[in-house]
């Protein structure tokens, strides 16, 4: 296949953002994706994008359809002990979430990318990363080799590139599962609802005018088969309904148990390989942070590669530190939220979580601090 400057493995939000930015800057790249284009354009996952990330995509001409179509959310509700407690973070920060299904963003980024891409590749293998890197892979047309200056590992939590980085992995298991659901039903409220309940946590999140995402805390050993539609709706009503806020039912089009865990590699590069997004760090979807982190890494990595070709390696040299600053802030936030959402079998710890929640709802300063990290910002933490 010849030579390019950067081979990008994985066409998720991280790989696609990076590919677009590099191509726009005139840096040659080849994007390799294991799945078909149709598959990645329909795979539902995230939905909440922080405003700073949207503005960065807009700055690079990548947010046109998103800005036209995505509703904006600036508040959410806690529901507990039968009451609704609204939390207005746009008032505190001036920043909003844009609600845009991940597959729609992926579709936009694939459509915008004018560089080379191969879908349906197998057996991606990296070679000679310390000297003259090259990547081999297979697709329907046969076996291929591409030489390059750098490899970007954007192949997510189950990819192959992470194994090439000799990193220490810090991992945390929450010891719970979340049943992730998509219902063909309109949202039951304007914003997100976090239901804190003795039967377990539940959440409601709009996706589109006709599709709503729900989560139910469950045992990590549960499978989809343990959750009949009837059981799902019974639990959602029990955990989320309050007298003046009902839940609208509809056919369940996705039902899968997520094993809630986090991990972070202590280094995101090795020789001429740089990782971005979930290949380097995973944060359970408690605070809707993973895709935002993936975009953040890619913005920094694109800046680093572009600067390299202009003769400056300082951004690449500082890449791990610049990414992990934000990653650890978001991990800490997710842990904090998890304590509030899931409670604890230990009554003492449970009361501490309640005390935190009361402080959050009762103190403007506590609310400002929470809101700042809930919505994030572009400036590094
Ligand atoms: C239910 C759920 C809800 C979520 N909600 C939110 C939210 O609201 N907000 C938020 O910010 N985040 C959310 N997240 C997290 C978000 O979806 C991920 O953080 C995001 O997809 C990470 O992007 P990525 O590009 O790093 O990895 P991925 O999206 O996983 O992309 C990696 C790509 O690499 C490809 N690949 C893998 N292996 C190979 C290989 N060997 N060769 C070639 N290609 C390969 C994969 O097919 C994939 O296309 C949610 C996640 C889940 C599961």
């Amino acid at each position: 296949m010849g030579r390019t400057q950067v081979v990008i493995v994985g066409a998720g939000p991280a790989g696609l953002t990076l590919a677009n930015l590099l191509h726009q800057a005139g840096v040659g790249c080849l994007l390799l994706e294991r799945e078909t284009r149709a598959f990645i354009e329909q795979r539902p996952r995230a939905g909440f994008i922080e405003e700073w990330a949207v503005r960065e995509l807009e700055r690079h001409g990548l947010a046109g359809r998103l800005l036209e179509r995505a509703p904006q959310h600036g508040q959410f509700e806690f529901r507990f002990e039968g009451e609704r407690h609204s939390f207005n973070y746009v008032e505190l920060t001036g920043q909003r979430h844009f609600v845009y299904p991940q597959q729609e963003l992926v579709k936009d980024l694939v459509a915008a990318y004018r560089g080379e891409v191969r879908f349906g590749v197998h057996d991606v293998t990296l070679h000679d990363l310390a000297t003259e890197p090259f990547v081999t892979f297979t697709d329907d047309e046969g076996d291929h080799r591409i030489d390059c200056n750098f490899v970007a590992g954007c192949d997510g939590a189950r990819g192959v590139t992470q194994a090439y980085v000799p990193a220490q992995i810090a991992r945390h298991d929450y010891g719970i599962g979340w049943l992730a659901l998509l219902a063909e039903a309109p949202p039951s409220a304007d914003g997100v609802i976090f239901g804190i309940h003795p039967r377990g946590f539940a959440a409601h999140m709009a996706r589109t005018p006709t599709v709503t995402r729900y989560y139910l805390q469950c045992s990590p050993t549960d499978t989809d088969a343990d959750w009949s539609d009837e059981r799902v709706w019974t639990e959602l009503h029990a955990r989320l309904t309050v007298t003046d806020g009902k839940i609208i039912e509809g056919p369940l089009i996705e039902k899968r148990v997520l094993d809630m865990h986090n991990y972070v590699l202590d280094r995101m590069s090795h020789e001429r390989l740089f990782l971005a997004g979930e290949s380097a760090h995973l944060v359970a979807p408690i605070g809707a942070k993973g895709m935002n982190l993936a975009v953040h890494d890619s913005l920094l990595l694109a800046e680093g590669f572009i600067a390299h070709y202009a003769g400056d390696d300082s951004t690449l040299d500082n890449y791990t530190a610049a990414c992990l600053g934000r990653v650890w802030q978001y991990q800490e936030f997710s842990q904090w939220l998890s304590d509030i959402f899931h409670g604890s079998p230990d009554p003492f710890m449970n009361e501490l979580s309640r005390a935190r929640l009361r402080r959050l709802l009762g103190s403007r300063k506590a609310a400002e601090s929470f809101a700042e990290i809930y919505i994030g910002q572009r400036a590094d933490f």
Side-chain angles (χ1 to χ4, degrees):
M1 284 195 74
R3 159 169 285 282
T4 191
Q5 286 168 305
V6 182
V7 172
I8 302 172
V9 185
L16 284 164
T17 302
L18 180 64
N20 271 287
L21 267 50
L22 292 183
H23 188 73
Q24 285 180 6
V27 176
C29 48
L30 168 66
L31 179 56
L32 299 176
E33 167 58 46
R34 185 181 57 194
E35 307 291 349
T36 63
R37 177 173 178 175
F39 181 87
I40 63 165
E41 291 186 345
Q42 284 163 25
R43 179 171 50 194
R45 276 160 133 189
F48 276 68
I49 314 178
E50 295 167 3
E51 179 153 356
W52 65 265
V54 173
R55 298 299 169 211
E56 287 296 325
L57 293 170
E58 182 184 21
R59 196 161 68 83
H60 292 95
L62 298 171
R65 213 166 66 102
L66 188 165
L67 288 168
E68 266 170 42
R69 298 176 53 168
Q72 299 173 25
H73 283 197
Q75 63 172 33
F76 66 80
E77 251 181 57
F78 286 116
R79 289 188 181 177
F80 62 96
E81 292 165 359
E83 290 191 357
R84 305 168 68 159
H85 302 266
S86 184
F87 188 93
N88 188 328
Y89 54 94
V90 66
E91 195 181 275
L92 296 167
T93 62
Q95 302 276 300
R96 296 171 170 80
H97 281 104
F98 287 68
V99 184
Y100 198 55
Q102 180 166 333
Q103 66 271 28
E104 294 300 319
L105 181 65
V106 163
K107 220 180 270 175
D108 296 352
L109 294 175
V110 172
Y113 177 57
R114 298 279 174 266
E116 213 186 331
V117 54
R118 295 282 177 118
F119 292 101
V121 304
H122 307 287
D123 302 329
V124 170
T125 310
L126 317 185
H127 308 265
D128 293 355
L129 289 167
T131 49
E132 297 282 322
F134 66 98
V135 177
T136 54
F137 63 96
T138 304
D139 64 12
D140 289 349
E141 292 167 20
D143 297 335
H144 305 278
R145 167 184 168 143
I146 176 101
D147 293 81
C148 55
N149 303 132
F150 295 102
V151 179
C154 304
D155 47 348
R158 292 186 193 83
V160 294
T161 59
Q162 185 190 94
Y164 290 85
V165 176
Q168 296 288 326
I169 304 182
R171 183 181 162 111
H172 173 68
D173 284 276
Y174 287 97
I176 56 163
W178 270 18
L179 183 67
L181 303 150
L182 280 174
E184 248 170 17
S188 304
D190 288 343
V192 171
I193 306 169
F194 297 126
I196 300 169
H197 197 276
R199 292 164 79 133
F201 172 74
H204 155 287
M205 295 177 190
R207 279 296 187 261
T208 69
T210 54
V211 174
T212 305
R213 187 173 272 299
Y214 290 97
Y215 294 110
L216 278 170
Q217 182 182 345
C218 63
S219 160
T221 55
D222 279 2
T223 65
D224 318 350
D226 294 313
W227 287 87
S228 65
D229 290 11
E230 194 190 344
R231 183 177 176 205
V232 164
W233 289 112
T234 303
E235 286 302 312
L236 285 172
H237 286 296
R239 300 182 195 186
L240 289 173
T241 304
V242 289
T243 42
D244 56 345
K246 301 284 182 227
I247 296 301
I248 304 169
E249 293 190 17
L252 293 170
I253 53 174
E254 187 193 66
K255 199 190 279 183
R256 66 183 171 122
V257 176
L258 307 177
D259 166 26
M260 300 293 277
H261 67 279
N262 305 324
Y263 63 73
V264 182
L265 273 62
D266 67 346
R267 52 188 298 181
M268 292 177 55
S269 68
H270 179 58
E271 297 170 337
R272 291 182 160 251
L273 166 65
F274 289 79
L275 304 180
E278 283 194 353
S279 58
H281 44 75
L282 184 140
V283 53
I286 294 169
K289 294 298 191 190
M291 183 166 72
N292 290 284
L293 286 174
V295 170
H296 184 250
D297 289 355
S298 291
L299 294 167
L300 290 175
L301 190 52
E303 282 170 23
F305 285 145
I306 293 163
H308 167 84
Y309 289 109
D312 173 9
D313 272 338
S314 57
T315 308
L316 283 185
D317 292 344
N318 192 42
Y319 174 68
T320 292
C323 294
L324 292 189
R326 175 174 296 252
V327 167
W328 279 113
Q329 289 296 331
Y330 280 10
Q331 293 283 6
E332 192 278 337
F333 176 71
S334 293
Q335 180 63 51
W336 193 93
L337 258 189
S338 169
D339 291 346
I340 285 190
F341 285 170
H342 304 121
S344 162
D346 175 346
F348 185 85
M349 299 307 289
N350 231 11
E351 283 305 325
L352 292 188
S353 296
R354 287 307 159 97
R356 283 181 186 172
L357 192 51
R358 282 197 297 275
R359 187 164 65 238
L360 175 60
L361 295 171
S363 149
R364 186 174 172 94
K365 283 210 163 52
E368 277 170 358
S369 164
F370 175 93
E372 180 187 72
I373 185 126
Y374 183 66
I375 190 58
Q377 54 194 334
R378 172 68 167 116
D380 292 329
F381 290 103

